[in-house]
Amino acid sequence: ALPIYLRVGLSDAQHPDISIIDNVLHFKAQGHGAKGENTYEFNLEFLEPVKPKLAYKLTERQITITVKKDDSVWWSRLTKQEKRPVFLAPDFDRWLEESDAEMELKAKEEERINKVRVESRLRKDPFANLKKGYLFMYNLVQFLGFSWIFVNMTVRLLIFGKDSFYDTFNTMADMMYFCQILAVLEIINPLLGFVKTGVLPAVIQVCGRNLILFVIFGSLEEMQNRAVVFFVFYIWSSIEIFRYPFYMLSCIDTEWKLLTWLRYSIWIPLYPLGGLAEAVAVIQSIPVFSKNEKFSISLPHPLNFSIRLSIFLQIYVVMIFFGLFINIRHLYKQRRRRIGPGKRKMH
């Protein structure tokens, strides 16, 4: 049956209360209408039975209500009362005569049949369940790894206080090495089509973190006892203990609303703080690399100059904030699609 569309011209509507009880539509909402800013309400008793479940969508200028008929029959009018209410007018943009409605129903049925035929011809991916299982296990292992880091760092902080800042690397480095080596799969997965996320944000995050972990912290003993290691590790693990379980549950088509909100909100304070902590780590390492000339490359005659890692790191400090901007913009777009103010729920 073709649905019934009702459009209520109410701007900036708030607190809508719309329901169908005993075949009567009850509407109440606050907004800007014919009488200015006010509370508007009305009731409509339909001519024929309709389904009690309705859907509505709010925009800045109106509320669109969709009601489904119980039977595919043509109605001579909308309401049970013969006289049309003064506030009710036909929406000629959606108006259909009986013959038009029959043709549209027929067209929709043909479209549905054709869609079923096309889908039946499409070959199903025989490895779909295997891919889901692999992604589930990957996210589970990463969640357990970063949870171990986060819990241990929290417990040590509570017991030892600030003293725990200075031996973070010695106690947590092995697990962080494991997690960040495994994270290289986050670049490979989208390249193989296992996930639909972009490759660039994954490359920026994984390569940036591994540079900090393996080159700056791992290769310099002078950096391993500094407090900045604590803040970098703690921020990384704080982000991942929400990100990985969200993706893990997505593999089995399960969603927890609180976890979804945390996954798309926790980055707002933590990503800028993480970028700042990484930048501090790079800045603190520059004098050390300048002194020991580690990873520097000396070019032979006639070039006679050296490519110093310390020079690259000075440029990389700027690149950290550029990469941070790209990732934040990517996450902001994801957040708007999932829980942003532009996303209205259908009830």
CSV table of all heavy atoms in Angstrom, one decimal, residues 216 220 223 279-292 309-317:
chain,number,residue,atom,x,y,z
A,216,ILE,N,62.1,7.0,18.2
A,216,ILE,CA,62.4,8.0,19.2
A,216,ILE,C,62.5,7.3,20.6
A,216,ILE,O,63.5,7.6,21.3
A,216,ILE,CB,61.3,9.1,19.2
A,216,ILE,CG1,61.4,9.9,17.9
A,216,ILE,CG2,61.4,10.0,20.4
A,216,ILE,CD1,60.4,10.9,17.7
A,220,LEU,N,66.5,5.3,21.6
A,220,LEU,CA,67.2,6.3,22.4
A,220,LEU,C,67.0,6.0,23.9
A,220,LEU,O,65.9,6.1,24.4
A,220,LEU,CB,66.7,7.7,22.1
A,220,LEU,CG,67.1,8.3,20.8
A,220,LEU,CD1,66.5,9.7,20.7
A,220,LEU,CD2,68.6,8.3,20.5
A,223,MET,N,65.6,8.8,26.1
A,223,MET,CA,64.2,9.1,26.0
A,223,MET,C,63.3,8.2,26.9
A,223,MET,O,62.2,8.5,27.2
A,223,MET,CB,63.7,9.1,24.6
A,223,MET,CG,64.3,10.3,23.7
A,223,MET,SD,63.7,11.9,24.3
A,223,MET,CE,61.9,11.8,24.1
A,279,ALA,N,54.4,15.5,19.7
A,279,ALA,CA,55.3,16.6,19.3
A,279,ALA,C,56.3,16.9,20.4
A,279,ALA,O,57.5,17.2,20.1
A,279,ALA,CB,54.4,17.8,19.1
A,280,VAL,N,55.9,16.8,21.7
A,280,VAL,CA,56.9,17.1,22.8
A,280,VAL,C,58.0,16.0,22.7
A,280,VAL,O,59.2,16.3,22.9
A,280,VAL,CB,56.1,17.0,24.1
A,280,VAL,CG1,57.2,17.0,25.3
A,280,VAL,CG2,55.2,18.3,24.2
A,281,ALA,N,57.6,14.7,22.5
A,281,ALA,CA,58.6,13.6,22.4
A,281,ALA,C,59.6,13.9,21.3
A,281,ALA,O,60.8,13.7,21.5
A,281,ALA,CB,57.8,12.3,22.2
A,282,VAL,N,59.1,14.3,20.1
A,282,VAL,CA,60.0,14.6,19.0
A,282,VAL,C,60.9,15.7,19.3
A,282,VAL,O,62.1,15.7,19.1
A,282,VAL,CB,59.1,14.9,17.7
A,282,VAL,CG1,60.1,15.3,16.6
A,282,VAL,CG2,58.3,13.7,17.3
A,283,ILE,N,60.4,16.8,19.9
A,283,ILE,CA,61.2,18.0,20.2
A,283,ILE,C,62.3,17.6,21.2
A,283,ILE,O,63.4,18.1,21.1
A,283,ILE,CB,60.3,19.1,20.7
A,283,ILE,CG1,59.4,19.7,19.6
A,283,ILE,CG2,61.1,20.3,21.3
A,283,ILE,CD1,58.3,20.6,20.0
A,284,GLN,N,61.9,16.8,22.2
A,284,GLN,CA,62.9,16.4,23.2
A,284,GLN,C,64.0,15.5,22.6
A,284,GLN,O,65.1,15.5,23.1
A,284,GLN,CB,62.2,15.7,24.4
A,284,GLN,CG,61.4,16.6,25.3
A,284,GLN,CD,60.8,15.9,26.4
A,284,GLN,OE1,60.9,14.6,26.6
A,284,GLN,NE2,60.1,16.6,27.3
A,285,SER,N,63.7,14.8,21.6
A,285,SER,CA,64.7,13.8,21.0
A,285,SER,C,65.6,14.5,20.0
A,285,SER,O,66.7,14.0,19.7
A,285,SER,CB,63.9,12.7,20.2
A,285,SER,OG,63.3,13.2,19.0
A,286,ILE,N,65.2,15.7,19.5
A,286,ILE,CA,66.1,16.4,18.5
A,286,ILE,C,67.5,16.7,19.0
A,286,ILE,O,68.5,16.3,18.3
A,286,ILE,CB,65.4,17.7,18.0
A,286,ILE,CG1,64.1,17.3,17.1
A,286,ILE,CG2,66.3,18.5,17.1
A,286,ILE,CD1,63.3,18.4,16.7
A,287,PRO,N,67.7,17.2,20.2
A,287,PRO,CA,69.1,17.5,20.6
A,287,PRO,C,69.8,16.2,20.8
A,287,PRO,O,71.1,16.2,20.6
A,287,PRO,CB,68.8,18.2,22.0
A,287,PRO,CG,67.5,18.7,22.0
A,287,PRO,CD,66.7,17.8,21.1
A,288,VAL,N,69.2,15.1,21.2
A,288,VAL,CA,69.9,13.8,21.4
A,288,VAL,C,70.4,13.3,20.1
A,288,VAL,O,71.5,12.9,19.9
A,288,VAL,CB,68.9,12.8,22.1
A,288,VAL,CG1,69.7,11.5,22.3
A,288,VAL,CG2,68.4,13.3,23.4
A,289,PHE,N,69.5,13.3,19.0
A,289,PHE,CA,69.9,12.9,17.7
A,289,PHE,C,71.0,13.8,17.1
A,289,PHE,O,71.9,13.3,16.4
A,289,PHE,CB,68.7,12.8,16.8
A,289,PHE,CG,67.9,11.5,17.0
A,289,PHE,CD1,66.6,11.6,17.4
A,289,PHE,CD2,68.4,10.3,16.7
A,289,PHE,CE1,65.8,10.5,17.6
A,289,PHE,CE2,67.6,9.1,16.9
A,289,PHE,CZ,66.3,9.2,17.3
A,290,SER,N,70.9,15.1,17.4
A,290,SER,CA,71.9,16.0,16.9
A,290,SER,C,73.3,15.7,17.5
A,290,SER,O,74.3,15.8,16.8
A,290,SER,CB,71.5,17.4,17.2
A,290,SER,OG,70.4,17.8,16.6
A,291,LYS,N,73.3,15.3,18.7
A,291,LYS,CA,74.6,15.0,19.4
A,291,LYS,C,75.2,13.6,19.0
A,291,LYS,O,76.4,13.5,18.7
A,291,LYS,CB,74.3,15.0,20.9
A,291,LYS,CG,75.6,14.8,21.8
A,291,LYS,CD,75.3,14.9,23.2
A,291,LYS,CE,76.5,14.7,24.1
A,291,LYS,NZ,76.2,14.8,25.5
A,292,ASN,N,74.3,12.6,18.9
A,292,ASN,CA,74.9,11.3,18.6
A,292,ASN,C,74.9,10.9,17.1
A,292,ASN,O,75.5,9.9,16.7
A,292,ASN,CB,74.2,10.1,19.4
A,292,ASN,CG,72.7,10.0,19.1
A,292,ASN,OD1,72.3,10.4,18.0
A,292,ASN,ND2,71.9,9.5,20.0
A,309,LEU,N,68.9,13.0,10.8
A,309,LEU,CA,67.6,12.7,11.3
A,309,LEU,C,67.0,13.8,12.1
A,309,LEU,O,65.8,14.1,12.0
A,309,LEU,CB,67.6,11.4,12.1
A,309,LEU,CG,66.2,11.0,12.7
A,309,LEU,CD1,65.2,10.7,11.6
A,309,LEU,CD2,66.4,9.8,13.6
A,310,SER,N,67.9,14.6,12.8
A,310,SER,CA,67.4,15.7,13.6
A,310,SER,C,66.8,16.8,12.7
A,310,SER,O,65.8,17.4,13.1
A,310,SER,CB,68.6,16.3,14.4
A,310,SER,OG,69.6,16.7,13.5
A,311,ILE,N,67.3,17.0,11.5
A,311,ILE,CA,66.7,17.9,10.6
A,311,ILE,C,65.3,17.5,10.1
A,311,ILE,O,64.3,18.2,10.1
A,311,ILE,CB,67.6,18.2,9.4
A,311,ILE,CG1,69.0,18.6,9.8
A,311,ILE,CG2,66.9,19.2,8.4
A,311,ILE,CD1,69.0,20.0,10.5
A,312,PHE,N,65.2,16.2,9.8
A,312,PHE,CA,63.9,15.6,9.4
A,312,PHE,C,62.9,15.7,10.5
A,312,PHE,O,61.7,16.1,10.3
A,312,PHE,CB,64.1,14.1,9.0
A,312,PHE,CG,62.8,13.4,8.9
A,312,PHE,CD1,61.9,13.6,7.8
A,312,PHE,CD2,62.3,12.5,9.9
A,312,PHE,CE1,60.7,12.9,7.7
A,312,PHE,CE2,61.1,11.9,9.8
A,312,PHE,CZ,60.3,12.1,8.7
A,313,LEU,N,63.3,15.5,11.8
A,313,LEU,CA,62.4,15.6,12.9
A,313,LEU,C,61.9,17.0,13.1
A,313,LEU,O,60.7,17.2,13.6
A,313,LEU,CB,63.1,15.1,14.2
A,313,LEU,CG,63.4,13.5,14.2
A,313,LEU,CD1,64.1,13.2,15.5
A,313,LEU,CD2,62.1,12.7,14.1
A,314,GLN,N,62.7,18.0,12.8
A,314,GLN,CA,62.2,19.4,12.9
A,314,GLN,C,61.1,19.6,12.0
A,314,GLN,O,60.1,20.3,12.3
A,314,GLN,CB,63.4,20.3,12.7
A,314,GLN,CG,64.4,20.3,13.8
A,314,GLN,CD,65.6,21.2,13.4
A,314,GLN,OE1,65.4,22.3,12.9
A,314,GLN,NE2,66.8,20.8,13.7
A,315,ILE,N,61.2,19.0,10.8
A,315,ILE,CA,60.1,19.1,9.8
A,315,ILE,C,58.9,18.3,10.2
A,315,ILE,O,57.8,18.7,10.1
A,315,ILE,CB,60.6,18.7,8.4
A,315,ILE,CG1,61.8,19.6,7.9
A,315,ILE,CG2,59.5,18.7,7.4
A,315,ILE,CD1,62.5,19.1,6.7
A,316,TYR,N,59.2,17.1,10.8
A,316,TYR,CA,58.2,16.2,11.2
A,316,TYR,C,57.3,16.8,12.3
A,316,TYR,O,56.1,16.4,12.4
A,316,TYR,CB,58.8,14.9,11.7
A,316,TYR,CG,57.8,13.8,12.0
A,316,TYR,CD1,57.0,13.3,11.0
A,316,TYR,CD2,57.5,13.5,13.4
A,316,TYR,CE1,56.0,12.3,11.4
A,316,TYR,CE2,56.6,12.5,13.7
A,316,TYR,CZ,55.8,12.0,12.7
A,316,TYR,OH,54.8,11.0,13.0
A,317,VAL,N,57.8,17.6,13.1
A,317,VAL,CA,57.0,18.3,14.2
A,317,VAL,C,55.8,19.0,13.5
A,317,VAL,O,54.7,18.9,14.0
A,317,VAL,CB,57.8,19.3,15.0
A,317,VAL,CG1,56.9,20.1,15.9
A,317,VAL,CG2,58.8,18.5,15.9
